[in-house]
C-alpha cells in the first residue's frame, strides 16, 4: 500500500489523528465507527433538492453568479441556512478562527469556522483536519470583507480521513503517467481550481491576535493554474457527448441496441483480437473488434435504424491516438447509401459540438478548427493523394495512374531518383534542408513501391500512400471517399468501378474519426471476400479475419435491404472537442504497463524459469 517510507509515516500519523477525532466524537456519545466513517450527511439549501445536482455548484450559481449576485447586506438581513459537504482542499487556522475550502463536483466553496460559534469540541476537530479530508458543515451564508461567498459554520461533522497526503505541488498532480495510474487523485486535484495554502499548514495555530481579523481573508491565495487544467471537465464533456449522440439518433427514429462483446468469430473490422475461453462451453471466444456483423443482422431482421455505443478491443499498439480498449458509436440505416451518411455526419458532428461546447469552434493542437457543416471539404482518396503529393518528388500523379498495378508501378518507378537523393539507406547523403517529414514520406513510398513489385494488391498500396502523403494535412473537417476494394472487405463496390467501393472516412485534426460505407448485401460476394480474408490471414496478415462467419452470410441470404453504416471513435471525438493531446487524457482508466517497483525487478524477471508459451 505504501510507495515510500515517508508515505507510511504519514499514514501512521493520520491514523493517530483519526483516533483523536474519534475520541472527540465519543464525548458527544458516538461510537468509533460513527465517529470515523459515518455513512451519511444531510445536505440542505433553500430551493435545492437532489434533482438540482450537487449543492455547492447550486449555491454558487444561485447566490454568486453574475446573473444572481447576493450582497453581504442582503445575507446579513435575511440569513440563509445551508449544510454542505466536500473534500478539504485548503485550510488554515488563525487563533480561534480559520478558513477552509471544500471541493464538491469540481467546484470549491469557502467555509469560516470560529470557536465561539461551533464550540470547543468542534473547533478542536477543525484543528485536526488535514488536506483531503471529507467534512460536512452547517451554517449560514455570508460574505467576507473581500467579497467571497462563505459558509459561516455553526457545526462541523467529520466524514472521512485522507490517510495519504495529497500531492505536494500546489497546482495539482503533474506527472503524466502518475495521473493516468491514479486517476482518482487526478480528478480532484486537477479541476482548474489551482491554488496554494496561504501562510501555514493544516493545524498550525497563528497568533491569537489574528483571530479577530480572520474574516477578512480567503483560505487560499489565488494563483495562476500551471497544472494539466480541468481534468474533471474533460470527462463531464465526454458524458455530454454521449448524451448528445443519443439525442441526435433518438430524434431520427434510431433504436439503441446491445450486441455481444464476446464473439466466436472476430469480425467486422481488420484488427488483431484479444482471445478468451468459456470454460462451461469449452469455447474459444474473442473480445469484439467491432459490433458490425451483429448490427447488420438486426437490419436483416427489420430494425431499419439501429445504433450502439460500444466498447471494442483490439490487440494492437498503444499511442496518443490508440488504446487497446476504446469506445465506438456504430449505426446503420436501411434504404440509404454512403452519400446519405456523408450528409448525416455533417449534421451530427456540429450538433454534438453545439450541445457540448455551445459552439462549433474548437482548438486542437493549437490550431483553430470550425466543425460547422459549411466548412467540411470532400475529396476522393485519389484526389487527396494528388493534392498533397510533395512537390519535391516531381510531377503529381494523374487519376489514371491509379487505374491498375501496372500504371501505378510505372509512376512510382519514375520516383527512383528520389530514393537516390533522399532515401535513408542510400550511400548518397540527404540533400541539405530536407525535413524529417519528407524523409518519412520518401521511405514510405519506397516501401510501397517494393510491396507493389512484390505482388501486393494495388488498392492496398494506394491506401498506404494516402495515409503517408495526405492524412496529416486533414486538419479541418474533411471527408475522404471512394476507397480501394482491397482494404474494404465489407463495402459495396461502385457500379462503374469494381475495384473501388462506396466508402468514406472523415478526418479532423489530422486523424480519422469515422468510417462509413454502403454495406455489401450480396451473400455470394460477401462469402468470396471472407474467403480472401482467410487467405490473407494464412499468408501472414495478423489483422485479417481467421474464419468465415457462415451465419452472417446466411443472414444476408434472407435479404438485407440497401443499407449504409458508420463507426465513429468517441475517444477521438472527445479529444477534438476538449483539445486533449492524447487519447489517454479522455479515457478514465487507460491501459498501462505494470509499474516497476525497483531497479532489480527486470533482473529478477530474467532469472525466473519460462514455460514454453512464455517465449
Amino acid at each position: 500500500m505504501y510507495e515510500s517510507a515517508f508515505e507510511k509515516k504519514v499514514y501512521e500519523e493520520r491514523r493517530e489523528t483519526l483516533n483523536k477525532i474519534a475520541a472527540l466524537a465519543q464525548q458527544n456519545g458516538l461510537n468509533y465507527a460513527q465517529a470515523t466513517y459515518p455513512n451519511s450527511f444531510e445536505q440542505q439549501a433553500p430551493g435545492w433538492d437532489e434533482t438540482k445536482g450537487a449543492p455547492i455548484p447550486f449555491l454558487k450559481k444561485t447566490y454568486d453568479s453574475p446573473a444572481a449576485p447576493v450582497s453581504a447586506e442582503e445575507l446579513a438581513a435575511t440569513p440563509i441556512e445551508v449544510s454542505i459537504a466536500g473534500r478539504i482542499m485548503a485550510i488554515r487556522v488563525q487563533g480561534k478562527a480559520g478558513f477552509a475550502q471544500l471541493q464538491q463536483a469540481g467546484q470549491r466553496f469557502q467555509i469560516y469556522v470560529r470557536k465561539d460559534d461551533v464550540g470547543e469540541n468542534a473547533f478542536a476537530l477543525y484543528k485536526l483536519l488535514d488536506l483531503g479530508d471529507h467534512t460536512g458543515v452547517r451554517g449560514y451564508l455570508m460574505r467576507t470583507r473581500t467579497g467571497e461567498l462563505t459558509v459561516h459554520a455553526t457545526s462541523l461533522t467529520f466524514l472521512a480521513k485522507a490517510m495519504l497526503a495529497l500531492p505536494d505541488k500546489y497546482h495539482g498532480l503533474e506527472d503524466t503517467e502518475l495521473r493516468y495510474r491514479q486517476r482518482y487523485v487526478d480528478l480532484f486535484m486537477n479541476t482548474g481550481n489551482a491554488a496554494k495554502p496561504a501562510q501555514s499548514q493544516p493545524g498550525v495555530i497563528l497568533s491569537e491576535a489574528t483571530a479577530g481579523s480572520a474574516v477578512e481573508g480567503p483560505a487560499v491565495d489565488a494563483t495562476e493554474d500551471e497544472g494539466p487544467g480541468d481534468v474533471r471537465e474533460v470527462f463531464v464533456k465526454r458524458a455530454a457527448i454521449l448524451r448528445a449522440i443519443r439525442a441526435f439518433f433518438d430524434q431520427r427514429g434510431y433504436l439503441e441496441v446491445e450486441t455481444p462483446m464476446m464473439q466466436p468469430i472476430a469480425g467486422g473490422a481488420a484488427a488483431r483480437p484479444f482471445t478468451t475461453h468459456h470454460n462451461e462451453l469449452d469455447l474459444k471466444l474473442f473480445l469484439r473488434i467491432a459490433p458490425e456483423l451483429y448490427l447488420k443482422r438486426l437490419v436483416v431482421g427489420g430494425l431499419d435504424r439501429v445504433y450502439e455505443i460500444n466498447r471494442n478491443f483490439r490487440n494492437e499498439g498503444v499511442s496518443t491516438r490508440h488504446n487497446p480498449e476504446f469506445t465506438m458509436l456504430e449505426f446503420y440505416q436501411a434504404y440509404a447509401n454512403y452519400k446519405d451518411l456523408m450528409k448525416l455526419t455533417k449534421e451530427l458532428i456540429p450538433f454534438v459540438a453545439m450541445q457540448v461546447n455551445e459552439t462549433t469552434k474548437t482548438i486542437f493542437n493549437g490550431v483553430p478548427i470550425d466543425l460547422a457543416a459549411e466548412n467540411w471539404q470532400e475529396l476522393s482518396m485519389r484526389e487527396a493523394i494528388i493534392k498533397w503529393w510533395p512537390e519535391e518528388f516531381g510531377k503529381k500523379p494523374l487519376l489514371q495512374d491509379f487505374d491498375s498495378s501496372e500504371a501505378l508501378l510505372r509512376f512510382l518507378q519514375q520516383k527512383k531518383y528520389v530514393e537516390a537523393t533522399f532515401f535513408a539507406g542510400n550511400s548518397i547523403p540527404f540533400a541539405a534542408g530536407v525535413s524529417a517529414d519528407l524523409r518519412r514520406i520518401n521511405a514510405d513510398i519506397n516501401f510501397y513501391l517494393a510491396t507493389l513489385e512484390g505482388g501486393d494488391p494495388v488498392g492496398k498500396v494506394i491506401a498506404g500512400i494516402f495515409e503517408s502523403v495526405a492524412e496529416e494535412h486533414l486538419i479541418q473537417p474533411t471527408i475522404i471517399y471512394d476507397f480501394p476494394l482491397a482494404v474494404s472487405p465489407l463495402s459495396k463496390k461502385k457500379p462503374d468501378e469494381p475495384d473501388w467501393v462506396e466508402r468514406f472516412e472523415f478526418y479532423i485534426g489530422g486523424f480519422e474519426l469515422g468510417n462509413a460505407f454502403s454495406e455489401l448485401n450480396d451473400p455470394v460476394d460477401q462469402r468470396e471476400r471472407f474467403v480472401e480474408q482467410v487467405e490473407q490471414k494464412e499468408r501472414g496478415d495478423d489483422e485479417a479475419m481467421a474464419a468465415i462467419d457462415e451465419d452472417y452470410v446466411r443472414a444476408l441470404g434472407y435479404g438485407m435491404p440497401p443499407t449504409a453504416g458508420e463507426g465513429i471513435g468517441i475517444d477521438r471525438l472527445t479529444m477534438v472537442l476538449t483539445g486533449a493531446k492524447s487519447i489517454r487524457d479522455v479515457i478514465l482508466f487507460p491501459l498501462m504497463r505494470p509499474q516497476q517497483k525497483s531497479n532489480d525487478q527486470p533482473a529478477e524477471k530474467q532469472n525466473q524459469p519460462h514455460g514454453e508459451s512464455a517465449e
Side-chain angles (χ1 to χ4, degrees), residues 7 77 116 143 159 305 365 368 465 488 537:
E7 192 168 85
D116 291 346
R143 287 195 183 276
L159 299 176
R305 298 187 176 201
N365 282 338
I465 292 174
S488 309
K537 183 76 172 182

Coordinates of all heavy atoms in Angstrom, one line a residue, residues 7 77 116 143 159 305 365 368 465 488 537:
E7 N 5.5 8.0 3.0 CA 4.1 7.7 2.8 C 3.6 6.9 4.0 O 2.5 7.1 4.6 CB 3.8 7.1 1.5 CG 2.3 7.1 1.2 CD 2.1 6.7 -0.3 OE1 2.0 5.5 -0.6 OE2 1.9 7.6 -1.1
A77 N -29.2 40.6 6.5 CA -30.6 40.9 6.8 C -31.5 39.7 6.8 O -32.4 39.6 7.7 CB -31.1 41.9 5.8
D116 N -16.0 30.3 18.9 CA -17.2 30.8 19.7 C -18.5 30.4 19.1 O -19.5 30.3 19.8 CB -17.2 32.3 19.8 CG -16.0 32.8 20.7 OD1 -15.4 32.0 21.4 OD2 -15.7 34.0 20.6
R143 N -20.6 37.0 3.4 CA -19.5 37.4 2.5 C -18.4 38.0 3.4 O -18.7 38.7 4.4 CB -20.0 38.5 1.5 CG -20.8 37.9 0.4 CD -20.9 38.8 -0.8 NE -21.8 38.3 -1.8 CZ -21.5 37.5 -2.7 NH1 -20.2 37.1 -2.8 NH2 -22.3 37.0 -3.6
L159 N -16.4 13.3 8.1 CA -17.0 12.3 7.3 C -16.0 11.2 6.8 O -16.4 10.1 6.7 CB -17.6 13.0 6.1 CG -18.7 14.0 6.4 CD1 -19.2 14.6 5.1 CD2 -19.9 13.3 7.1
R305 N -33.2 1.1 -38.4 CA -32.3 2.1 -37.9 C -31.8 1.8 -36.5 O -32.6 1.8 -35.6 CB -32.9 3.5 -37.9 CG -33.4 4.0 -39.3 CD -33.9 5.4 -39.3 NE -34.2 5.9 -40.6 CZ -34.3 7.2 -40.9 NH1 -34.0 8.1 -40.0 NH2 -34.6 7.6 -42.2
N365 N -4.5 20.9 -30.8 CA -3.1 21.0 -31.1 C -2.7 22.5 -31.5 O -1.8 22.7 -32.3 CB -2.6 20.1 -32.2 CG -2.4 18.6 -31.6 OD1 -2.3 18.4 -30.4 ND2 -2.5 17.7 -32.5
P368 N -7.0 26.4 -34.6 CA -8.5 26.6 -34.6 C -9.2 25.8 -35.7 O -8.7 25.7 -36.8 CB -8.7 28.1 -34.9 CG -7.3 28.7 -34.6 CD -6.3 27.7 -34.9
I465 N -0.2 4.8 -49.4 CA 0.3 6.1 -49.9 C -0.5 7.2 -49.4 O 0.0 8.3 -49.0 CB 0.4 6.1 -51.4 CG1 1.5 5.1 -51.9 CG2 0.8 7.5 -51.9 CD1 1.6 4.9 -53.4
S488 N -11.3 -3.0 -48.2 CA -12.7 -2.7 -47.7 C -13.5 -4.0 -47.9 O -14.4 -4.1 -48.8 CB -13.3 -1.6 -48.5 OG -12.5 -0.4 -48.5
K537 N -5.0 -14.0 -44.1 CA -4.5 -14.4 -42.8 C -3.5 -15.6 -42.9 O -2.5 -15.5 -42.2 CB -5.8 -14.9 -42.0 CG -5.5 -15.3 -40.5 CD -5.3 -14.1 -39.7 CE -5.2 -14.5 -38.2 NZ -5.0 -13.3 -37.3

